[in-house]
Amino acid sequence: TMTGVVDSDFSADLEHTEASESARRRSSTRLTRASLRLSQSSQASVFSSGRRITRSQQGATNTTAKKYPLRQSRSSGSDTEANGETRSGADRDETPPRTPTGNAPSSESDIEVSSPGNDLDERLAKELSLKEAAAHDLSHRPKRRRFHESYNFNMKCPTPGCNSLGHLTGRHERHFSISGCPLYHNLSADECKGKASTRDKQAEERTLSHRQDENRHSTRNQAPTDRQLRYKEKVTELRRKRNSTLNKEQKEKHMDHRQSHGASREPLLENITSDYDLELFRKAQARASDDLEKLRLAGQVSEGSNMIKTIVFGRYELDTWYHSPYPEEYARLGRLYMCEFCLKYMKSQTILRRHMAKCVWKHPPGDEIYRKGNISVFEVDGKKNKIYCQNLCLLAKLFLDHKTLYYDVEPFLFYVMTEADNTGCHLVGYFSKEKNSFLNYNVSCILTMPQYMRQGYGKMLIDFSYLLSKVEEKVGSPERPLSDLGLISYRSYWKEVLLRYLNNFQGKEISIKEISQETAVNPVDIVSTLQSLQMLKYWKGKHLVLKRQDLIDDWKAKETKRGNSKTIDPTALKWTPPKGT
């Protein structure tokens, strides 16, 4: 019947389906066992099995190969992966799956007879493949930070002959300053590491002893413990053993070291004091060097360029504009601390605080030649007060681009303007001039401190320099080249001088020479200022000076609004020109 035919066909299809499923399970089991064997075998066996070719593959030369992506694995070499990609199969529709090693079995000879434990073999092969992938996958691990990533290798230690390796603290791999250089301190990098481990052990012992002492009952007048008494006796004994004088060999050793190295190395400190005190000094050096290294890593110490970024000056913290040739050990810090009275520069706030507690200076050295209200001007001789003038020049270079005078200050006089309050005379600005100027320059360098700019002090300094020229009965001019801010200030001052003179002038004919003699301004500067104001014309063979009333009226309005607070009073000057000028 029709039904029977259908049933027989259905039963045949069912048998065919079961047979195909059993064949597929056997094939997968064989592949699983083959993959397990391949993953456990050596790389050489993988290579040999990867190159096998079956007869069916040899006969199917005209069949196009089908390529599949391979997973990267450590157990299979690049040769195996390449061979796996270029293999061709007899049946393109049924390509065998890839093994955990990234290779497919190339022939039936690679497939062994399966065992009943199919699920167990599949699970073992899967776990093994996952372990291999996890063993070679390092993406989950954090990137190890090597020591050189935080250093700039363009920097070098300034000590001659040093390779910048090691650190005085024994905790860093490199150094870039004298404070952290083992060679400068007559030590090696290994010795510094050994001293660091010793200091760590002593710190642990000290912490343990402090914990034991804390268990005692606290009283107002607590007696020292037995441990403290023994330590005091030990220190006294160590200091008593020190020899008060050096013998002949030690003196010769110290002299040879000084002659061969000079200031590039630290003097030999052995036998100068007791071993205990020397060790305390070494600990303090290492601690200070460690603090500086922390500042450098925090970005507060500059690298690569010896540029001081900020200075702490009195109650102000000023950003610098230009490079100044401070000593290298200070320039590397990035921030300097200065005494605003004696201008001494220091490395840290602690040193500045200690200095201010004992600094007796409250005003610049030299003679006070002008005082009106809280404004004073001091005349400082570069020959008599050399250190102060050198520090003043170094400070000025931080805010001037064209300044070249730093240390040769003896041929110059410095006129320092200050503003006084109940704490002292604070530096406002200064200008310097040569004692004997061949070209009659009345100003060599002029500076107003940034915290006092745009308040009229710059014009006061310029006016004071011309006042000195009037007393000397000379015509003055500033030394060239002028800085950008200096040129703006001088142009503004010359404009006001000319407008004031023209406002008071009542005649019909005017002379450039008369203006120069009355104002002490160089005729060249007067002509250039008149030209910039468009007040100098050439007409019918004569030079005419136009009296522009509009400019004079504007100047009067500004003078009335400004007042007389920021002006120089010639009667307050108490000064006679130095001899030989």
Short mmCIF file of all heavy atoms in Angstrom, two decimals, residues 84-140:
data_model
loop_
_atom_site.label_atom_id
_atom_site.label_comp_id
_atom_site.label_asym_id
_atom_site.label_seq_id
_atom_site.Cartn_x
_atom_site.Cartn_y
_atom_site.Cartn_z
N GLY A 84 48.70 24.53 6.84
CA GLY A 84 47.29 24.31 7.08
C GLY A 84 46.42 25.17 6.21
O GLY A 84 45.31 24.81 5.86
N GLU A 85 46.92 26.38 5.84
CA GLU A 85 46.11 27.25 5.01
C GLU A 85 46.08 26.79 3.56
O GLU A 85 45.10 26.94 2.87
CB GLU A 85 46.68 28.69 5.06
CG GLU A 85 46.23 29.45 6.27
CD GLU A 85 46.61 30.90 6.12
OE1 GLU A 85 46.96 31.29 4.99
OE2 GLU A 85 46.54 31.61 7.11
N THR A 86 47.16 26.19 3.06
CA THR A 86 47.25 25.85 1.63
C THR A 86 46.84 24.43 1.32
O THR A 86 46.97 23.98 0.18
CB THR A 86 48.70 26.05 1.17
OG1 THR A 86 49.56 25.24 1.96
CG2 THR A 86 49.10 27.51 1.30
N ARG A 87 46.39 23.70 2.34
CA ARG A 87 45.98 22.33 2.07
C ARG A 87 44.65 22.33 1.29
O ARG A 87 43.79 23.16 1.47
CB ARG A 87 45.80 21.56 3.37
CG ARG A 87 47.12 21.24 4.08
CD ARG A 87 46.87 20.19 5.13
NE ARG A 87 48.03 20.08 6.00
CZ ARG A 87 48.10 20.68 7.17
NH1 ARG A 87 47.11 21.40 7.60
NH2 ARG A 87 49.18 20.52 7.92
N SER A 88 44.47 21.29 0.45
CA SER A 88 43.21 21.10 -0.30
C SER A 88 42.60 19.76 0.09
O SER A 88 43.31 18.76 0.27
CB SER A 88 43.47 21.13 -1.81
OG SER A 88 44.36 20.11 -2.17
N GLY A 89 41.30 19.73 0.23
CA GLY A 89 40.61 18.50 0.60
C GLY A 89 39.89 17.89 -0.58
O GLY A 89 39.59 18.54 -1.58
N ALA A 90 39.61 16.56 -0.50
CA ALA A 90 38.89 15.88 -1.58
C ALA A 90 37.46 16.35 -1.67
O ALA A 90 36.88 16.44 -2.75
CB ALA A 90 38.94 14.37 -1.36
N ASP A 91 36.85 16.64 -0.54
CA ASP A 91 35.47 17.09 -0.54
C ASP A 91 35.44 18.51 -0.03
O ASP A 91 35.72 18.75 1.14
CB ASP A 91 34.62 16.16 0.33
CG ASP A 91 33.14 16.44 0.14
OD1 ASP A 91 32.79 17.35 -0.65
OD2 ASP A 91 32.35 15.75 0.79
N ARG A 92 35.10 19.48 -0.87
CA ARG A 92 35.11 20.87 -0.44
C ARG A 92 33.93 21.20 0.45
O ARG A 92 33.95 22.18 1.17
CB ARG A 92 35.07 21.78 -1.68
CG ARG A 92 36.36 21.78 -2.44
CD ARG A 92 36.27 22.68 -3.65
NE ARG A 92 35.32 22.13 -4.62
CZ ARG A 92 34.94 22.77 -5.72
NH1 ARG A 92 35.42 23.96 -5.98
NH2 ARG A 92 34.08 22.21 -6.56
N ASP A 93 32.86 20.41 0.41
CA ASP A 93 31.69 20.74 1.21
C ASP A 93 31.86 20.33 2.66
O ASP A 93 31.23 20.90 3.53
CB ASP A 93 30.45 20.05 0.61
CG ASP A 93 30.17 20.54 -0.78
OD1 ASP A 93 30.55 21.70 -1.09
OD2 ASP A 93 29.59 19.77 -1.55
N GLU A 94 32.64 19.29 2.92
CA GLU A 94 32.81 18.82 4.29
C GLU A 94 34.28 18.97 4.68
O GLU A 94 35.06 18.03 4.62
CB GLU A 94 32.38 17.35 4.41
CG GLU A 94 30.89 17.15 4.17
CD GLU A 94 30.49 15.71 4.32
OE1 GLU A 94 31.39 14.88 4.65
OE2 GLU A 94 29.33 15.41 4.14
N THR A 95 34.63 20.18 5.07
CA THR A 95 35.99 20.45 5.54
C THR A 95 36.09 20.16 7.02
O THR A 95 35.23 20.62 7.79
CB THR A 95 36.36 21.92 5.28
OG1 THR A 95 36.14 22.19 3.90
CG2 THR A 95 37.80 22.20 5.66
N PRO A 96 37.05 19.39 7.46
CA PRO A 96 37.12 19.04 8.89
C PRO A 96 37.40 20.27 9.73
O PRO A 96 38.08 21.20 9.30
CB PRO A 96 38.29 18.05 8.95
CG PRO A 96 39.10 18.35 7.73
CD PRO A 96 38.13 18.79 6.69
N PRO A 97 36.87 20.30 10.95
CA PRO A 97 37.08 21.45 11.85
C PRO A 97 38.53 21.54 12.29
O PRO A 97 39.26 20.56 12.28
CB PRO A 97 36.14 21.18 13.02
CG PRO A 97 36.00 19.69 13.04
CD PRO A 97 36.05 19.25 11.59
N ARG A 98 38.91 22.77 12.73
CA ARG A 98 40.27 22.99 13.19
C ARG A 98 40.47 22.46 14.60
O ARG A 98 39.56 22.43 15.41
CB ARG A 98 40.58 24.48 13.18
CG ARG A 98 40.48 25.10 11.80
CD ARG A 98 41.54 24.55 10.89
NE ARG A 98 41.32 24.95 9.51
CZ ARG A 98 42.03 24.52 8.51
NH1 ARG A 98 42.98 23.63 8.71
NH2 ARG A 98 41.79 24.93 7.29
N THR A 99 41.68 22.04 14.86
CA THR A 99 42.04 21.55 16.19
C THR A 99 42.46 22.73 17.06
O THR A 99 42.68 23.83 16.57
CB THR A 99 43.21 20.55 16.10
OG1 THR A 99 44.33 21.25 15.58
CG2 THR A 99 42.86 19.41 15.17
N PRO A 100 42.58 22.51 18.37
CA PRO A 100 43.01 23.62 19.25
C PRO A 100 44.36 24.17 18.88
O PRO A 100 44.69 25.28 19.26
CB PRO A 100 43.01 22.98 20.64
CG PRO A 100 42.04 21.87 20.54
CD PRO A 100 42.17 21.34 19.14
N THR A 101 45.20 23.43 18.17
CA THR A 101 46.51 23.95 17.79
C THR A 101 46.46 24.73 16.50
O THR A 101 47.48 25.25 16.04
CB THR A 101 47.51 22.80 17.62
OG1 THR A 101 47.00 21.89 16.64
CG2 THR A 101 47.72 22.05 18.92
N GLY A 102 45.29 24.82 15.86
CA GLY A 102 45.17 25.59 14.62
C GLY A 102 45.38 24.76 13.38
O GLY A 102 45.47 25.28 12.29
N ASN A 103 45.49 23.44 13.47
CA ASN A 103 45.75 22.58 12.32
C ASN A 103 44.64 21.54 12.22
O ASN A 103 44.14 21.03 13.22
CB ASN A 103 47.09 21.86 12.45
CG ASN A 103 48.24 22.84 12.50
OD1 ASN A 103 48.38 23.67 11.62
ND2 ASN A 103 49.05 22.75 13.54
N ALA A 104 44.31 21.17 11.00
CA ALA A 104 43.35 20.09 10.76
C ALA A 104 44.10 18.82 10.42
O ALA A 104 45.16 18.86 9.82
CB ALA A 104 42.43 20.47 9.61
N PRO A 105 43.59 17.64 10.83
CA PRO A 105 44.26 16.40 10.46
C PRO A 105 44.26 16.24 8.95
O PRO A 105 43.24 16.43 8.29
CB PRO A 105 43.43 15.32 11.15
CG PRO A 105 42.12 15.96 11.42
CD PRO A 105 42.38 17.40 11.64
N SER A 106 45.39 15.90 8.40
CA SER A 106 45.55 15.88 6.95
C SER A 106 45.16 14.55 6.32
O SER A 106 44.95 14.49 5.13
CB SER A 106 47.00 16.21 6.59
OG SER A 106 47.87 15.29 7.20
N SER A 107 45.08 13.46 7.03
CA SER A 107 44.70 12.17 6.43
C SER A 107 44.09 11.27 7.48
O SER A 107 44.15 11.55 8.67
CB SER A 107 45.93 11.50 5.80
OG SER A 107 46.85 11.13 6.81
N GLU A 108 43.51 10.18 7.02
CA GLU A 108 42.89 9.25 7.95
C GLU A 108 43.91 8.51 8.78
O GLU A 108 43.57 7.92 9.80
CB GLU A 108 42.03 8.25 7.18
CG GLU A 108 40.84 8.91 6.48
CD GLU A 108 40.01 7.88 5.77
OE1 GLU A 108 40.39 6.70 5.82
OE2 GLU A 108 39.01 8.26 5.15
N SER A 109 45.14 8.51 8.36
CA SER A 109 46.16 7.83 9.14
C SER A 109 46.44 8.55 10.44
O SER A 109 46.99 7.97 11.37
CB SER A 109 47.47 7.74 8.34
OG SER A 109 47.92 9.04 8.00
N ASP A 110 46.05 9.85 10.50
CA ASP A 110 46.24 10.61 11.74
C ASP A 110 45.14 10.35 12.74
O ASP A 110 45.22 10.80 13.87
CB ASP A 110 46.30 12.11 11.43
CG ASP A 110 47.50 12.46 10.58
OD1 ASP A 110 48.53 11.77 10.72
OD2 ASP A 110 47.40 13.43 9.81
N ILE A 111 44.06 9.70 12.32
CA ILE A 111 42.90 9.52 13.18
C ILE A 111 42.93 8.12 13.77
O ILE A 111 43.03 7.13 13.06
CB ILE A 111 41.60 9.73 12.39
CG1 ILE A 111 41.63 11.11 11.73
CG2 ILE A 111 40.39 9.56 13.27
CD1 ILE A 111 40.46 11.35 10.81
N GLU A 112 42.84 8.07 15.09
CA GLU A 112 42.87 6.79 15.77
C GLU A 112 41.44 6.32 16.05
O GLU A 112 40.48 7.09 15.96
CB GLU A 112 43.65 6.91 17.06
CG GLU A 112 45.13 7.22 16.83
CD GLU A 112 45.88 7.31 18.14
OE1 GLU A 112 45.21 7.30 19.20
OE2 GLU A 112 47.11 7.40 18.11
N VAL A 113 41.35 5.03 16.43
CA VAL A 113 40.05 4.45 16.78
C VAL A 113 39.58 5.09 18.08
O VAL A 113 40.34 5.19 19.04
CB VAL A 113 40.15 2.92 16.91
CG1 VAL A 113 38.80 2.34 17.27
CG2 VAL A 113 40.68 2.33 15.61
N SER A 114 38.29 5.49 18.09
CA SER A 114 37.78 6.22 19.26
C SER A 114 37.39 5.26 20.36
O SER A 114 37.14 4.09 20.13
CB SER A 114 36.56 7.04 18.83
OG SER A 114 35.55 6.18 18.35
N SER A 115 37.28 5.83 21.53
CA SER A 115 36.82 5.11 22.72
C SER A 115 35.45 5.63 23.10
O SER A 115 35.03 6.70 22.65
CB SER A 115 37.81 5.31 23.86
OG SER A 115 37.90 6.68 24.19
N PRO A 116 34.74 4.90 23.94
CA PRO A 116 33.36 5.32 24.27
C PRO A 116 33.30 6.67 24.98
O PRO A 116 32.26 7.31 24.97
CB PRO A 116 32.86 4.19 25.17
CG PRO A 116 33.73 3.03 24.85
CD PRO A 116 35.06 3.58 24.49
N GLY A 117 34.38 7.11 25.66
CA GLY A 117 34.31 8.36 26.45
C GLY A 117 34.40 9.59 25.58
O GLY A 117 35.39 10.31 25.64
N ASN A 118 33.39 9.83 24.74
CA ASN A 118 33.47 10.97 23.81
C ASN A 118 33.40 12.30 24.55
O ASN A 118 34.17 13.22 24.28
CB ASN A 118 32.33 10.86 22.80
CG ASN A 118 32.45 9.61 21.95
OD1 ASN A 118 33.53 9.08 21.78
ND2 ASN A 118 31.31 9.15 21.42
N ASP A 119 32.45 12.46 25.45
CA ASP A 119 32.28 13.73 26.16
C ASP A 119 33.50 14.07 27.00
O ASP A 119 33.91 15.24 27.11
CB ASP A 119 31.04 13.66 27.05
CG ASP A 119 29.77 13.47 26.21
OD1 ASP A 119 29.83 13.85 25.03
OD2 ASP A 119 28.77 12.97 26.76
N LEU A 120 34.09 13.05 27.64
CA LEU A 120 35.27 13.30 28.47
C LEU A 120 36.43 13.79 27.63
O LEU A 120 37.15 14.74 28.00
CB LEU A 120 35.65 12.01 29.20
CG LEU A 120 36.91 12.11 30.10
CD1 LEU A 120 36.67 13.13 31.22
CD2 LEU A 120 37.24 10.73 30.70
N ASP A 121 36.63 13.17 26.43
CA ASP A 121 37.73 13.62 25.56
C ASP A 121 37.52 15.04 25.06
O ASP A 121 38.45 15.84 24.99
CB ASP A 121 37.85 12.66 24.37
CG ASP A 121 38.32 11.29 24.80
OD1 ASP A 121 38.93 11.23 25.90
OD2 ASP A 121 38.09 10.31 24.07
N GLU A 122 36.25 15.37 24.73
CA GLU A 122 35.99 16.73 24.26
C GLU A 122 36.27 17.75 25.36
O GLU A 122 36.85 18.82 25.11
CB GLU A 122 34.54 16.84 23.79
CG GLU A 122 34.25 16.05 22.52
CD GLU A 122 32.80 16.19 22.11
OE1 GLU A 122 32.05 16.89 22.83
OE2 GLU A 122 32.43 15.61 21.09
N ARG A 123 35.87 17.43 26.57
CA ARG A 123 36.08 18.37 27.68
C ARG A 123 37.55 18.53 28.00
O ARG A 123 38.04 19.64 28.25
CB ARG A 123 35.32 17.88 28.92
CG ARG A 123 35.36 18.88 30.07
CD ARG A 123 34.39 18.51 31.17
NE ARG A 123 34.76 17.26 31.80
CZ ARG A 123 34.11 16.12 31.64
NH1 ARG A 123 33.05 16.08 30.84
NH2 ARG A 123 34.50 15.01 32.25
N LEU A 124 38.33 17.43 27.96
CA LEU A 124 39.76 17.52 28.21
C LEU A 124 40.46 18.35 27.14
O LEU A 124 41.33 19.19 27.43
CB LEU A 124 40.35 16.11 28.27
CG LEU A 124 40.01 15.28 29.50
CD1 LEU A 124 40.60 13.87 29.37
CD2 LEU A 124 40.55 15.94 30.77
N ALA A 125 40.10 18.14 25.89
CA ALA A 125 40.73 18.89 24.81
C ALA A 125 40.40 20.38 24.92
O ALA A 125 41.24 21.25 24.69
CB ALA A 125 40.28 18.35 23.47
N LYS A 126 39.14 20.70 25.28
CA LYS A 126 38.75 22.11 25.41
C LYS A 126 39.49 22.79 26.56
O LYS A 126 39.97 23.92 26.43
CB LYS A 126 37.24 22.17 25.62
CG LYS A 126 36.70 23.59 25.62
CD LYS A 126 35.19 23.56 25.72
CE LYS A 126 34.65 25.00 25.69
NZ LYS A 126 33.16 25.01 25.79
N GLU A 127 39.58 22.09 27.70
CA GLU A 127 40.31 22.67 28.84
C GLU A 127 41.79 22.87 28.51
O GLU A 127 42.39 23.88 28.89
CB GLU A 127 40.15 21.76 30.06
CG GLU A 127 38.74 21.75 30.63
CD GLU A 127 38.63 20.78 31.80
OE1 GLU A 127 39.65 20.12 32.12
OE2 GLU A 127 37.54 20.70 32.37
N LEU A 128 42.36 21.91 27.81
CA LEU A 128 43.77 22.03 27.45
C LEU A 128 44.01 23.21 26.51
O LEU A 128 44.98 23.96 26.66
CB LEU A 128 44.25 20.74 26.79
CG LEU A 128 45.74 20.69 26.41
CD1 LEU A 128 46.61 20.88 27.64
CD2 LEU A 128 46.07 19.38 25.72
N SER A 129 43.11 23.38 25.54
CA SER A 129 43.28 24.50 24.61
C SER A 129 43.12 25.84 25.33
O SER A 129 43.85 26.80 25.06
CB SER A 129 42.26 24.39 23.48
OG SER A 129 40.94 24.48 23.99
N LEU A 130 42.18 25.92 26.27
CA LEU A 130 42.01 27.16 27.03
C LEU A 130 43.22 27.48 27.89
O LEU A 130 43.63 28.62 28.02
CB LEU A 130 40.75 27.07 27.89
CG LEU A 130 39.41 27.05 27.12
CD1 LEU A 130 38.25 26.87 28.10
CD2 LEU A 130 39.25 28.34 26.33
N LYS A 131 43.82 26.44 28.49
CA LYS A 131 45.01 26.66 29.32
C LYS A 131 46.17 27.16 28.48
O LYS A 131 46.93 28.04 28.87
CB LYS A 131 45.39 25.37 30.03
CG LYS A 131 44.46 25.00 31.18
CD LYS A 131 44.92 23.73 31.86
CE LYS A 131 43.99 23.37 33.02
NZ LYS A 131 44.42 22.13 33.69
N GLU A 132 46.33 26.57 27.29
CA GLU A 132 47.42 27.02 26.42
C GLU A 132 47.22 28.46 25.98
O GLU A 132 48.16 29.26 25.96
CB GLU A 132 47.51 26.10 25.19
CG GLU A 132 48.07 24.73 25.49
CD GLU A 132 48.20 23.90 24.23
OE1 GLU A 132 47.76 24.40 23.18
OE2 GLU A 132 48.74 22.80 24.31
N ALA A 133 45.99 28.81 25.63
CA ALA A 133 45.73 30.19 25.20
C ALA A 133 45.95 31.17 26.34
O ALA A 133 46.49 32.26 26.15
CB ALA A 133 44.30 30.30 24.66
N ALA A 134 45.54 30.78 27.57
CA ALA A 134 45.74 31.68 28.71
C ALA A 134 47.20 31.82 29.08
O ALA A 134 47.65 32.86 29.53
CB ALA A 134 44.93 31.16 29.91
N ALA A 135 47.97 30.72 28.87
CA ALA A 135 49.39 30.77 29.22
C ALA A 135 50.16 31.73 28.33
O ALA A 135 51.14 32.35 28.75
CB ALA A 135 50.00 29.38 29.14
N HIS A 136 49.73 31.85 27.06
CA HIS A 136 50.46 32.70 26.12
C HIS A 136 49.80 34.05 25.90
O HIS A 136 50.37 34.88 25.21
CB HIS A 136 50.58 31.97 24.78
CG HIS A 136 51.28 30.65 24.89
ND1 HIS A 136 52.58 30.54 25.34
CD2 HIS A 136 50.85 29.38 24.62
CE1 HIS A 136 52.93 29.25 25.34
NE2 HIS A 136 51.90 28.54 24.92
N ASP A 137 48.64 34.29 26.45
CA ASP A 137 47.98 35.58 26.30
C ASP A 137 48.36 36.46 27.49
O ASP A 137 48.00 36.17 28.63
CB ASP A 137 46.46 35.38 26.25
CG ASP A 137 45.76 36.71 25.98
OD1 ASP A 137 46.45 37.66 25.57
OD2 ASP A 137 44.53 36.76 26.18
N LEU A 138 49.14 37.52 27.23
CA LEU A 138 49.62 38.41 28.29
C LEU A 138 48.87 39.73 28.32
O LEU A 138 49.29 40.68 28.99
CB LEU A 138 51.12 38.71 28.08
CG LEU A 138 52.02 37.48 28.02
CD1 LEU A 138 53.47 37.90 27.78
CD2 LEU A 138 51.91 36.65 29.29
N SER A 139 47.74 39.82 27.59
CA SER A 139 47.04 41.09 27.53
C SER A 139 46.38 41.44 28.86
O SER A 139 46.14 42.61 29.14
CB SER A 139 45.99 41.05 26.43
OG SER A 139 45.06 40.00 26.69
N HIS A 140 46.05 40.41 29.68
CA HIS A 140 45.38 40.71 30.95
C HIS A 140 46.35 41.20 32.02
O HIS A 140 45.93 41.70 33.04
CB HIS A 140 44.67 39.44 31.44
CG HIS A 140 45.63 38.34 31.82
ND1 HIS A 140 46.24 37.56 30.85
CD2 HIS A 140 46.09 37.91 33.02
CE1 HIS A 140 47.03 36.67 31.46
NE2 HIS A 140 46.96 36.87 32.77
#
